[in-house]
Amino acid sequence: MKRVLIAGATGYLGHFTAIAFKNAGYYTKLLVRNPQKLKTYPVYANEVVQAEITQPETLIDICAGIDIVFTSVGITRQKDGLSYHDVDFQGNMNLLEEAKKAGVSMFIYISVFNGQAMQDLAICREKERFVRELQSSGLPYRVIRPTGYFSDMNDYYIMAKKGRVYIFGSGNAHINPISGKDLAAFCLTAIEKPETAPEVGGPKAYTHNEIATLAFQSLNKPAKITHIPAWLCKVVIFLMRKLTSSKTYGPFEFVATMLTKEMVAPFYGSDDLLEYFKSLKSTGKSSPTK
Ligand SMILES: NC(=O)c1ccc[n+]([C@@H]2O[C@H](COP(=O)([O-])OP(=O)(O)OC[C@H]3O[C@@H](n4cnc5c(N)ncnc54)[C@H](OP(=O)(O)O)[C@@H]3O)[C@@H](O)[C@H]2O)c1
């Protein structure tokens, strides 16, 4: 039985990836900083190890006997005072060092679609810095480059529930968001394929206006959308970069940029965004894991 170490299983993608590996017959070892979080939703694991990826002394020999390392650890909305450099780069570097020591046969890392071209954004800069280290590590690797996740579309749903969706720019840029389940399946298939840095998105591309409209549709509400001029976002990003740290401006500049760029990657999967929004309505949660 092949053994996989999964870091990030308490998050949206990692949760689905842990299930996908387990269902595919792997021995799954989860690296988590807070095991309590695993109790809030079912994750299938053979072993759970409590460690802190940003503290290398807690990771010693964590990859012993492991064939595949998968990491989706990264800052999305966490407010724990750490920077993209601390977590997305250095945390994953700490894990990579252990993987090299153990000589694992594959290291899988999640970056972002078009991340190489967006290194003016703090998050992409640190992710791509890690990608370069992984590529020169000597280990077989896969860098997965997804577009936005269904979970990232939750903001549309939450705003629609309140009655109005606000969109930076015209809302006419396209994206094909992918569900955690479909992306997890893609990550497993990528192991067997030769491409080392595949790009991937969901089965259908929408404009952001269409996604907002779907969110209203799932709630049986009339669509009310307000567009915030792109020039105003640029001014706000400029000021935030001057006046705040990347912990504050990073998530804002990332989201604002995503909304105005074409983000359509090769199509994959079958999960439907409208059904996802409807599932949020029926469960009353804004995401399966958040
Ligand atoms: N969301 C998107 O649309 C999107 C698109 C492309 C790429 N990505 C990338 O895909 C990856 C996974 O995204 P996601 O939506 O699944 O993220 P998520 O739900 O926020 O999960 C992030 C995971 O990283 C862990 N983590 C964060 N900070 C940590 C720290 N300081 N120490 C230890 N663990 C830490 C979290 O652990 P805790 O549960 O303990 O906080 C969680 O398990 C991220 O790197 C993200 O940048 C996301």
Side-chain angles (χ1 to χ4, degrees):
M1 187 189 264
K2 281 205 167 181
R3 297 164 77 95
V4 60
L5 175 72
I6 298 168
T10 51
Y12 176 71
L13 174 60
H15 153 78
F16 285 104
T17 308
I19 292 170
F21 272 110
K22 190 82 178 76
N23 288 345
Y26 284 80
Y27 179 99
T28 56
K29 177 174 172 181
L30 310 187
L31 187 178
V32 298
R33 59 174 168 172
N34 180 3
Q36 290 299 324
K37 276 187 105 174
L38 292 174
K39 290 189 181 152
T40 58
Y41 59 94
V43 160
Y44 304 101
N46 294 93
E47 196 181 336
V48 175
V49 184
Q50 185 170 8
E52 176 50 80
I53 200 168
T54 54
Q55 293 168 14
E57 65 280 7
T58 69
L59 301 178
I60 292 167
D61 293 338
I62 202 154
C63 296
I66 292 294
D67 299 292
I68 296 175
V69 173
F70 170 94
T71 170
S72 56
V73 168
I75 293 183
T76 56
R77 288 156 201 247
Q78 295 84 356
K79 293 197 169 35
D80 45 21
L82 295 171
S83 65
Y84 294 121
H85 179 79
D86 298 332
V87 180
D88 295 66
F89 175 71
Q90 192 58 54
N92 285 308
M93 278 303 293
N94 296 338
L95 191 55
L96 178 60
E97 286 308 318
E98 286 296 322
K100 276 159 70 176
K101 203 170 82 187
V104 306
S105 58
M106 174 70 65
F107 193 107
I108 306 173
Y109 176 65
I110 309 296
S111 187
V112 181
F113 178 61
N114 274 341
Q116 315 94 304
M118 297 191 294
Q119 292 185 59
D120 52 321
L121 305 179
I123 182 171
C124 295
R125 201 158 48 242
E126 296 303 331
K127 282 188 179 298
E128 292 306 312
R129 184 179 292 188
F130 177 74
V131 168
R132 289 190 293 277
E133 294 289 341
L134 177 58
Q135 287 169 331
S136 61
S137 68
L139 287 180
Y141 69 87
R142 295 291 178 268
V143 173
I144 313 289
R145 298 192 172 282
T147 57
Y149 303 164
F150 277 15
S151 60
D152 257 20
M153 305 300 126
N154 289 0
D155 287 336
Y156 287 111
Y157 179 84
I158 292 165
M159 288 190 280
K161 214 170 161 183
K162 290 181 183 160
R164 182 169 294 277
V165 169
Y166 295 88
I167 297 180
F168 298 129
S170 68
N172 289 328
H174 295 80
I175 185 168
N176 55 331
I178 185 163
S179 76
K181 185 160 156 271
D182 281 341
L183 182 53
F186 181 85
C187 291
L188 262 79
T189 64
I191 297 169
E192 308 302 333
K193 295 195 175 151
E195 203 181 343
T196 52
E199 299 175 331
V200 62
K204 196 166 172 201
Y206 307 89
T207 65
H208 289 276
N209 291 323
E210 287 169 340
I211 293 174
T213 305
L214 282 185
F216 281 110
Q217 194 182 327
S218 73
L219 291 155
N220 297 317
K221 285 184 166 199
K224 291 182 187 164
I225 302 173
T226 297
H227 297 100
I228 301 167
W231 66 263
L232 185 57
C233 296
K234 284 186 185 153
V235 171
V236 173
I237 291 171
F238 175 81
L239 290 174
M240 285 179 84
R241 280 178 178 162
K242 293 269 174 222
L243 301 172
T244 68
S245 77
S246 69
K247 292 169 209 163
T248 306
Y249 73 71
F252 181 82
E253 67 171 8
F254 183 62
V255 171
T257 305
M258 293 299 108
L259 285 170
T260 52
K261 274 198 185 314
E262 286 293 310
M263 289 287 287
V264 180
F267 297 98
Y268 184 83
S270 57
D271 282 349
D272 181 73
L273 188 57
L274 177 59
E275 291 308 314
Y276 173 76
F277 283 142
K278 286 182 181 168
S279 76
L280 297 182
K281 189 180 177 191
S282 63
T283 59
K285 288 186 183 176
S286 64
S287 154
T289 63
K290 286 176 183 163

